[in-house]
């Protein structure tokens, strides 16, 4: 018998459920007067934020909201959205942050599927929310969040946020869940095919990924974090909780535009921000005078399947320290990081960009990341050539999909979460994505990585953003079709773009058609390739 199990039982003295609520409690106790949230001229300290979250939790409890109930939020990056990440959990309920750019029918589906009991909403989205509510047989309690930074819109709720907050006394709220496996938040997938799936996070995973973010980014105490990333997206990649872990300062931003981003960085000496490649691209291509006066180091995270090398190179030239992370909604946002190595510093810029553009290695608090053959569930060799599917397992993998046991079983087949991303394992152990399984173009029996073609396109001096999908071809079955968004004032044509790619790629990989215009994107900056696939069906190939 194992002597280390006799009389050594779990007790309140030696065990407590892991939860982000303890991170807020620590910052408020240790640094009560340090700035926690800045929004325009509005300022809160950690002591004030803690008190406001407690009042929010108790106000929800007084309305009968508790364990198992869903509280939805249709909000931009404002203080109330930050407070909901703690206050809802203090009532034992589950926070469902809604994508503010979705249509009314999708919002209505989410509210109904989640059985939302309360909806916090900003006036900017009143038209969408009103239409969504009209489609619901049972309506939630609606609470308006008024923001002085936005003028307009109609109130839809029974009560305004600050008045609702005042109805709570901060008493009888939860310091922790009964079980760390209890749900803390619900995030819906993009739903590009069929209805979106509800991804459930638990307190343990939220806590661990919040701490993991700080570890992989080496975030210092009192970091100043700018909210360019929507808090509705995977709970801001869990940074809503990370900033509490480091007693940082949250600088809120309703809308991402180059001028206010640079102004906030300069004014508040922002040290950290996150964003999709499109956000970084926006800053790289902004007028140089907007960056004047920023002399301190700014650290930024970029996520996505693979940021173009041009983005990585551009950020380095600008003097911003960029780190690439990778993950999915199902992994609490980031679960892998391209951990930088000292030896890379001596490489040429293009070589450093190649190294830093990989998906890298697992987060230190994620137990497993592997590239496997999904048919055999065996790891691929570390040869940089054999493709497999990226898979994860561990504490920062979702509980599963809400009310969808079949999809959960399929996602966890073989004891791993299947990402759907195809990748190779390189000799140094770092993972490099080649494509989404549905995005690989098979031309004449040859696999063409859309990401490889997009990387070549992004190096063209006139290209702002590019995406590549398959278009039907009577001879080859399918061929690459490029969709290109040019920089302001740039002028080029399809033939020149194709010739540029053929100089850098095998000819069968170069686009056979180029469509110019603004690319359809989600609110998190992801290009909607399912829209482009439909458009590609009508594109015309160019003889070259």
């Amino acid at each position: 018998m194992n002597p280390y199990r006799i009389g050594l039982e779990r007790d309140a003295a030696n065990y407590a459920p892991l939860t982000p609520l303890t991170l807020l409690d620590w910052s408020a106790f240790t640094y009560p007067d340090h700035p926690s949230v800045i929004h325009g001229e509005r300022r809160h300290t950690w002591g004030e934020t803690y008190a406001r979250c407690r009042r929010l939790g108790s106000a929800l409890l007084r309305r009968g909201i508790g364990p198992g109930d869903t509280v939805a939020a249709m909000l931009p990056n404002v203080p109330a959205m930050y407070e909901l990440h703690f206050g809802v959990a203090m009532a034992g309920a589950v926070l469902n942050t809604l994508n503010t750019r979705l249509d009314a029918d999708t919002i209505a589906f989410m509210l109904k599927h989640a059985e939302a009991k309360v909806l916090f909403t900003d006036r900017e989205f009143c038209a969408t929310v009103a239409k969504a509510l009209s489609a619901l047989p049972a309506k939630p309690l609606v609470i308006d969040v008024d923001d002085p930074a936005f003028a307009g819109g109609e109130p839809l709720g029974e009560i305004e946020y600050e008045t609702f907050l005042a109805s709570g006394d901060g008493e009888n709220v939860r310091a922790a869940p009964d079980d760390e496996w209890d749900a803390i938040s619900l995030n819906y997938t993009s739903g590009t095919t069929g209805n979106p799936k509800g991804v459930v996070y638990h307190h343990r995973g939220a806590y661990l990924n919040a701490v993991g973010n700080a570890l992989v980014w080496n975030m210092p105490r009192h970091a100043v974090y700018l909210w360019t990333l929507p808090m509705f997206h995977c709970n801001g990649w869990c940074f809503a909780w990370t900033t509490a872990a480091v007693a940082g300062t949250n600088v809120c931003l309703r809308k991402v535009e180059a001028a206010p981003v640079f102004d906030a960085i300069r004014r508040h000496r922002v040290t950290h921000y996150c964003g999709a490649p499109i956000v970084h691209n926006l800053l790289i291509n902004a007028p140089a005078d907007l960056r004047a006066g920023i002399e301190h180091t700014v650290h930024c995270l970029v996520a996505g399947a693979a940021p173009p090398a041009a983005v990585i190179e551009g950020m380095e030239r600008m003097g911003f320290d960029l780190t690439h992370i990778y993950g999915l909604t199902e992994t609490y946002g980031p679960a892998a990081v391209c951990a930088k190595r000292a030896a890379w510093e001596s490489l040429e810029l293009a070589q450093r960009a190649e190294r830093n553009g990989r998906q890298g290695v697992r987060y230190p608090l994620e137990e497993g990341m592997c590239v496997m053959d999904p048919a055999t569930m065996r790891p691929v060799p570390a040869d940089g050539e054999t493709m497999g599917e990226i898979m994860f397992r561990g504490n920062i993998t979702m509980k599963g999909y809400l009310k969808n046991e079949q999809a959960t079983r399929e996602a966890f087949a073989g004891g791993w979460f299947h990402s759907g991303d195809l990748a190779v394992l390189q000799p140094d152990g770092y993972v490099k994505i080649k494509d989404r399984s549905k995005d690989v173009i098979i031309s004449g029996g040859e696999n063409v990585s859309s990401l490889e073609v997009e990387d070549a396109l992004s190096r063209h001096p006139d290209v702002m953003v590019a995406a590549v999908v398959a278009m039907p071809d009577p001879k080859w079955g399918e061929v690459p079709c490029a969709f290109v968004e040019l920089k302001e004032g740039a002028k080029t044509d399809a033939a020149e773009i194709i010739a540029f790619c053929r100089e850098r790629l095998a000819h069968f990989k170069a686009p056979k058609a180029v469509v110019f215009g603004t690319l359809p994107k989600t609110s998190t900056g992801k290009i909607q390739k399912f829209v482009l696939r439909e458009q590609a069906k009508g594109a015309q190939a160019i003889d070259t």
Side-chain angles (χ1 to χ4, degrees):
M1 184 173 292
N2 188 339
Y4 292 98
R5 291 184 176 175
I6 301 173
L8 303 175
E9 305 299 330
R10 184 182 296 182
D11 185 84
N14 63 17
Y15 169 82
L18 298 180
T19 171
L21 295 179
T22 61
L23 303 176
L24 174 62
D25 180 85
W26 180 84
S27 284
F29 180 82
T30 312
Y31 301 104
D33 299 322
H34 190 80
S36 58
V37 178
I38 296 174
H39 183 46
E41 300 306 314
R42 188 173 173 184
R43 302 286 190 279
H44 290 150
T45 65
W46 280 110
E48 291 168 340
T49 292
Y50 179 61
R52 288 173 62 85
C53 291
R54 288 183 64 90
R55 289 203 301 274
L56 173 59
S58 63
L60 289 168
L61 287 168
R62 288 183 172 185
R63 292 282 186 146
I65 304 302
D69 292 332
T70 303
V71 176
M74 185 79 163
L75 299 173
N77 291 342
V78 292
M81 184 64 140
Y82 188 77
E83 292 161 2
L84 283 166
H85 277 81
F86 298 94
V88 171
M90 287 178 174
V94 180
L95 176 63
N96 173 212
T97 55
L98 300 168
N99 185 326
T100 59
R101 293 200 184 168
L102 293 176
D103 60 272
D105 289 343
T106 306
I107 294 296
F109 168 82
M110 292 174 177
L111 292 172
K112 183 178 180 181
H113 184 261
E115 301 177 47
K117 298 290 181 64
V118 183
L119 170 63
F120 291 85
T121 183
D122 186 281
R123 290 195 188 199
E124 182 177 354
F125 316 117
C126 62
T128 299
V129 171
K131 186 176 179 181
L133 291 172
S134 70
L136 298 179
K139 295 176 175 55
L141 166 66
V142 179
I143 298 172
D144 291 304
V145 177
D146 290 342
D147 179 12
F150 179 80
E154 297 295 327
L156 301 175
E158 172 187 317
I159 190 172
E160 200 278 325
Y161 180 75
E162 294 297 332
T163 304
F164 181 75
L165 215 63
S167 70
D169 59 9
E171 300 297 324
N172 301 315
V173 296
R174 292 178 171 228
D178 294 332
D179 186 338
E180 61 186 16
W181 182 250
D182 287 348
I184 188 172
S185 67
L186 172 68
N187 290 282
Y188 281 91
T189 59
S190 56
T192 55
T193 54
N195 287 324
K197 297 190 287 289
V199 177
V200 181
Y201 294 173
H202 49 64
H203 282 255
R204 177 181 178 84
Y207 175 94
L208 290 171
N209 213 29
V211 175
N213 282 335
L215 287 175
V216 300
W217 212 5
N218 198 26
M219 288 184 79
R221 185 71 39 78
H222 302 323
V224 181
Y225 182 86
L226 177 63
W227 278 104
T228 47
L229 177 74
M231 282 190 228
F232 66 66
H233 186 43
C234 305
N235 302 108
W237 297 349
C238 291
F239 276 95
W241 300 307
T242 299
T243 54
V246 299
T249 300
N250 297 275
V251 180
C252 295
L253 194 65
R254 280 189 70 101
K255 188 176 295 185
V256 177
E257 296 173 338
V261 167
F262 284 121
D263 181 64
I265 291 173
R266 187 168 38 246
R267 182 180 179 188
H268 303 296
R269 290 192 62 81
V270 166
T271 59
H272 296 74
Y273 76 89
C274 299
I278 189 173
V279 173
H280 305 288
N281 218 351
L282 173 73
L283 302 184
I284 291 168
N285 291 286
D289 62 315
L290 292 181
R291 302 194 294 268
I294 299 174
E295 298 176 354
H296 65 284
T297 300
V298 180
H299 303 274
C300 34
L301 290 185
V302 60
V311 170
I312 297 173
E313 292 173 10
M315 294 303 289
E316 184 166 335
R317 289 193 186 97
M318 203 165 71
F320 283 28
D321 181 38
L322 186 71
T323 299
H324 178 43
I325 54 173
Y326 161 73
L328 305 96
T329 303
E330 289 88 343
T331 61
Y332 293 71
V337 58
C338 187
K340 297 179 180 180
R341 294 183 175 179
W344 300 352
E345 295 176 7
S346 61
L347 299 175
E348 295 294 326
L349 177 58
Q351 292 177 302
R352 286 201 305 277
E354 184 278 325
R355 297 289 195 283
N356 289 321
R358 299 180 296 175
Q359 284 56 59
V361 298
R362 63 180 173 84
Y363 256 37
L365 299 183
E366 177 71 304
E367 280 61 41
M369 175 186 182
C370 195
V371 181
M372 287 198 254
D373 181 328
T376 65
M377 293 301 290
R378 293 178 179 172
V380 301
D383 58 10
E385 294 182 5
T386 307
M387 284 215 294
E389 183 178 0
I390 299 178
M391 301 190 190
F392 290 97
R393 64 165 26 151
N395 288 302
I396 56 173
T397 303
M398 66 172 179
K399 290 186 71 166
Y401 298 115
L402 182 67
K403 303 177 185 176
N404 197 334
E405 293 183 16
Q406 180 179 345
T408 300
R409 285 195 301 270
E410 291 172 356
F412 291 156
W416 290 80
F417 168 67
H418 296 240
S419 73
D421 285 324
L422 301 181
V424 297
L425 188 63
Q426 298 187 319
D428 63 359
Y430 278 50
V431 171
K432 172 67 176 178
I433 283 183
K434 290 298 184 180
D435 226 326
R436 288 288 294 176
S437 56
K438 62 187 177 185
D439 291 340
V440 171
I441 302 163
I442 305 175
S443 184
E446 297 283 353
N447 286 355
V448 178
S449 166
S450 64
L451 298 180
E452 183 181 1
V453 184
E454 288 163 4
D455 189 61
L457 287 164
S458 71
R459 294 179 178 277
H460 192 286
D462 291 336
V463 172
M464 171 73 81
V465 185
V468 174
V469 299
M471 63 179 284
D473 184 86
K475 181 177 181 180
W476 303 108
E478 56 187 26
V479 293
C481 176
F483 289 82
V484 173
E485 191 172 317
L486 295 175
K487 296 177 182 178
E488 187 175 354
K491 293 182 179 180
T492 188
D493 59 27
E496 202 278 327
I497 291 288
I498 292 172
F500 181 87
C501 288
R502 293 185 73 166
E503 291 175 1
R504 292 158 177 80
L505 299 168
H507 285 196
F508 76 91
K509 295 182 178 181
K512 301 300 185 289
V514 180
V515 180
F516 295 99
T518 302
L519 273 60
K521 307 176 188 75
T522 68
S523 57
T524 57
K526 294 181 180 177
I527 295 168
Q528 295 174 311
K529 285 196 170 182
F530 70 98
V531 175
L532 299 183
R533 289 189 193 97
E534 288 300 311
Q535 295 179 11
K537 294 176 181 178
Q540 297 295 316
I542 296 176
D543 292 329
T544 54

